[in-house]
Amino acid sequence: MASNNNNSNKNPKKANLLDHHSIKHILDEYVSEIVTSRGYVEDVRMSNVRLLMGSIIIIIALVAQFYPKKFPENRDFLIVCILLYILFNGLLQLIIYTKEKNAILFTHPPEGFFNSTGLVVSSKLPRFSDLYTLSIASADPKSKAAKDPVEFTKSVTQWFTTDGILVEGLFWKDVEGLINDYAREPKKNK
């Protein structure tokens, strides 16, 4: 069993318990640390695509804003820029909606494992709820090496003190248990 980070005693993770975004952010960050400590390397391709799309959107907006001609003369050019802006924003939202969903981490397979896929780690913490759902699925569900997704739903109250400090050992154990469940879960034949 892997041991907890040595940094946990030096820099405890603290959340505002009245802000579910703060709680989810801390839990998601720590999940990423735990998964990467198990040998999975983060796959940043999706983040890079989003950054590229965002950069293109910004460039379109800047070109439209600082085009040398003034309004009545550049009307057609502005219409093209607006349409491109809408198109690329729509594509960006489509990518986020279809590919990322609730994903907090995409990984490559662990080095040296040829019969494994990368992971997609997703989480949910609905507003006005204390139930945190963490799921692990294959990054390539159509692969023969893909395994069935696993998840748990637990109350965040068991992982935080009343002061909002994350009890990292308890959370580490739960996440590591989920990773172990995924690793041993055989894929069912369809």
Side-chain angles (χ1 to χ4, degrees):
M1 187 160 139
S3 63
N4 292 0
N5 259 345
N6 292 338
N7 297 340
S8 61
N9 295 336
K10 298 175 189 171
N11 190 11
K13 295 176 181 3
K14 186 170 183 174
N16 176 355
L17 295 179
L18 301 175
D19 178 12
H20 83 283
H21 291 293
S22 171
I23 294 169
K24 185 176 183 316
H25 179 75
I26 285 178
L27 293 175
D28 290 351
E29 265 189 14
Y30 203 54
V31 166
S32 294
E33 284 180 36
I34 296 167
V35 171
T36 55
S37 77
R38 294 282 303 256
Y40 290 93
V41 177
E42 184 174 3
D43 182 355
V44 294
R45 288 179 293 187
M46 189 62 63
S47 297
N48 291 343
V49 167
R50 278 192 1 240
L51 286 171
L52 176 66
M53 296 288 286
S55 298
I56 290 170
I57 292 167
I58 290 169
I59 289 168
I60 291 169
L62 288 173
V63 168
Q65 176 69 32
F66 297 110
Y67 190 69
K69 294 183 180 178
K70 293 297 171 199
F71 174 62
E73 301 164 19
N74 70 352
R75 183 175 173 267
D76 294 338
F77 180 76
L78 282 178
I79 289 172
V80 169
C81 285
I82 290 169
L83 292 175
L84 286 173
Y85 184 86
I86 291 169
L87 174 75
F88 278 98
N89 254 315
L91 285 173
L92 180 60
Q93 293 306 313
L94 184 68
I95 289 169
I96 290 170
Y97 182 74
T98 59
K99 295 290 183 190
E100 288 193 353
K101 298 178 182 148
N102 294 317
I104 56 173
L105 180 67
F106 294 91
T107 72
H108 295 288
E111 208 166 307
F113 285 84
F114 299 107
N115 61 346
S116 177
T117 65
L119 303 178
V120 176
V121 182
S122 305
S123 72
K124 286 185 241 175
L125 180 62
R127 194 169 182 193
F128 306 120
S129 173
D130 67 330
L131 297 178
Y132 180 78
T133 301
L134 183 66
S135 61
I136 299 176
S138 171
D140 184 9
K142 295 178 182 168
S143 167
K144 289 186 179 190
K147 299 180 180 185
D148 288 330
V150 293
E151 73 175 39
F152 69 63
T153 300
K154 295 187 177 185
S155 172
V156 297
T157 58
Q158 64 188 358
W159 300 314
F160 286 94
T161 66
T162 55
D163 297 330
I165 297 185
L166 177 64
V167 182
E168 295 177 12
L170 291 174
F171 188 61
W172 182 287
K173 225 173 14 178
D174 286 342
V175 174
E176 199 166 62
L178 188 65
I179 295 168
N180 291 338
D181 288 349
Y182 177 80
R184 72 175 147 255
E185 178 77 26
K187 183 167 181 163
K188 297 174 187 149
N189 292 332
K190 294 181 178 177

